[in-house]
Structure formats: C-alpha cells, structure tokens
Amino acid sequence: MNRISTLFGIQYPIVQAGMIWASGWRLASAVSNAGGLGLIGAGSMYPDVLRHHIQRCKEATNKPFGVNVPLLYPDIEQLINIILEEKVQVVFTSAGNPKTWTPVLKAAGVKVVHVVSSSAFALKSEAAGVDAVVAEGFEAGGHNGREETTTMVLIPAVCEKVQIPVIAAGGIGSGRAMAAAFALGASGVQVGSRFVATPEASSHINFKQAVVNAREGDTMLSLKKLTPVRLIKNHFYESVKTAEDSGADPDALKILLGRARAKTGMFEGNLEEGELEIGQVSALIHDIKPAAEVLEDIWKEFQTVRKQLGDLAI
C-alpha cells in the first residue's frame, strides 16, 4: 500500500497544493471527492474566513481534506485554534519553524506535513515530529526556497536523508511528471499550478487564462531580497526587475510591493499591476478543466507510464 495514501486515507497519492487566492473549499472538496487530498490555502484568509471555508468543505465532502498554513502568518495562533476547534485532520505547514506548532497539532491527533526546499530542512522537520515532508523544487510557483534547487535534484537528496514519506512538488502537473517523482523516490506528489486552471479554483478567470497562455520562460523568480517568489512576467514584474537591477534594498522593494499585490493579480484579475504567482509547469497547461478531470488525467497517465517503464512500484 502506498505510504501517502495510507497516511491520509485517500485513494490516490496526489495532493492539491494550498495556494493563496486559488484553493478555497470548492477546489479542496472537489479534489478530495475525486480521490486525492484537497487543501484549503489559509495564507490569504482572515481567521473567520478560514473557519467558513473549513465548514463549507465539511458540507461538500465526507472525504479527508486539509489546510495549508504559512507559519509566519501574523494571526497564526488564531488559525491553529480554528483548525483544532473544527477538528481538521490534516495540516500542511510552510514558511516557518515546524517545531513551534507540530507538537500542538500532533497532540490533537492531526497529521502534520511540512514544506521544505532542502534536505537540511527536511531533517529538521523530521526531528520536529512531522508525518511527512513536501520537497518543493525551484520550478514551483509562489514562494520558493533560496537554494534554487530543482525538483530533479531535491527529491532524491531528501529521500536519502529522511525516513518519513516524501511528497514531491515543483513542476508536477501530469502523470509523466508524477512517474518521474516516484522514480526519484517520492511516495506522493503535490500539484499546484495545474489546479489553478480549473473552474473550482477561486482565482480570477483572467489569471487562469494567463496561466493557460503562459509559455516557457514566461515565469521568473523575483523579489529575492525579500522572499523569493515565482511570477508571470508583467508590468509589476518588470518594475521589480528594474528596481533590483538598480540595487534596490529590501525596504525599497517592500514599498514597491505594497499591500494586497497578490490579491490584485490573482483574485481581482489585474494582469499588469498584480502579482501573478505560478510555476514553470504553466507552460504545459493548455486548458481549464474540472479538478476531478485533472486528477483523473494525472492518475491515468501515471499508470500508463508505469506500465511502459515496467511497473514502477508505488
């Protein structure tokens, strides 16, 4: 039996990433109902909004689902309390020290997974008591590790170091990529960008269409002096690049970034002035289709590739 499917009690070892302005209860419940693990992305939610999405997700599915929580979120204690009060069974943490909240969550019977960008962080996460790690490569959308290690290198490096299950992320949007991740030692995959281009994603249709239209080279890692983030090139990105090329310091970049830049782009659909976070795999996304179809397509192609390669074990 697959370690990730067993850990979460799901049919397929495929996790839908918890993405800001994209993964609310509609997307999470659709993925969970289809046999994967759907995640609500708490990073763009006030505490009361998160509670609403958890409650709606419970109404929409009787299958396992989880919440992704950035640990550096200013209202992190309120978010954790809501997760515990609502008896969420799975929490993916990121952007912070897993030692802080993992014991609290584990004491309540919650399964905890931490997102890492290096084998060193994976070891620290294992020591903190997490049940699994997401090893996310440089190709991924949104905020990235400073190491800029690609998925192809990161996954085997992490698998060599830890005993807990490893979920591969970054550049994975197809069954072929899933098979590659398993060949590298992963026990599951986390898919983000591919699920943005679905009707259930809460992001603006303009942003979804920009993802579909993106080609190779249309995304770049930016804002490295703050927190590195992969963006679709647009007027805002070019403004940041000009500032960075001129030697702008972190304070100047913060002023340029301003407030709600990601909401402006991904949720409100302003494709020039907004922050458009997406992965390199967007170059391989050519349509908007229901989340259940996305998951089914990935699984079917994965099975086909397994047979072609001689029954890759899962």
Side-chain angles (χ1 to χ4, degrees), residues 86-195:
E86 295 294 337
K87 301 189 185 318
V88 175
Q89 295 300 301
V90 179
V91 171
F92 280 49
T93 57
S94 60
N97 187 348
K99 286 184 179 180
T100 308
W101 290 104
T102 296
V104 175
L105 294 166
K106 294 287 289 180
V110 178
K111 294 187 173 64
V112 182
V113 182
H114 193 64
V115 182
V116 301
S117 58
S118 71
S119 54
F121 283 128
L123 281 168
K124 290 180 180 179
S125 299
E126 185 175 47
V130 304
D131 296 283
V133 291
V134 173
E136 185 175 76
F138 169 72
E139 301 93 325
H143 294 290
N144 262 294
R146 297 186 181 279
E147 299 84 358
E148 299 190 11
T149 306
T150 64
T151 301
M152 183 68 74
V153 174
L154 180 63
I155 302 308
V158 172
C159 289
E160 281 183 4
K161 296 291 186 179
V162 300
Q163 301 301 311
I164 55 177
V166 175
I167 301 168
I172 300 171
S174 66
R176 291 174 294 167
M178 181 176 176
F182 273 69
L184 295 172
S187 297
V189 294
Q190 178 174 281
V191 177
S193 299
R194 176 61 270 202
F195 282 117

Side-chain angles (χ1 to χ4, degrees), residues 42-47 69-80 94-95 101 259:
S44 53
M45 297 180 180
Y46 291 114
V69 184
L71 295 175
L72 297 180
Y73 192 92
D75 294 321
I76 182 63
E77 189 169 354
Q78 290 185 59
L79 296 185
I80 295 294
S94 60
W101 290 104
R259 288 181 54 83

Side-chain angles (χ1 to χ4, degrees), residues 263-275:
K263 181 181 180 181
T264 298
M266 294 184 283
F267 191 69
E268 297 176 352
N270 187 329
L271 299 186
E272 287 305 317
E273 298 303 330
E275 185 176 347

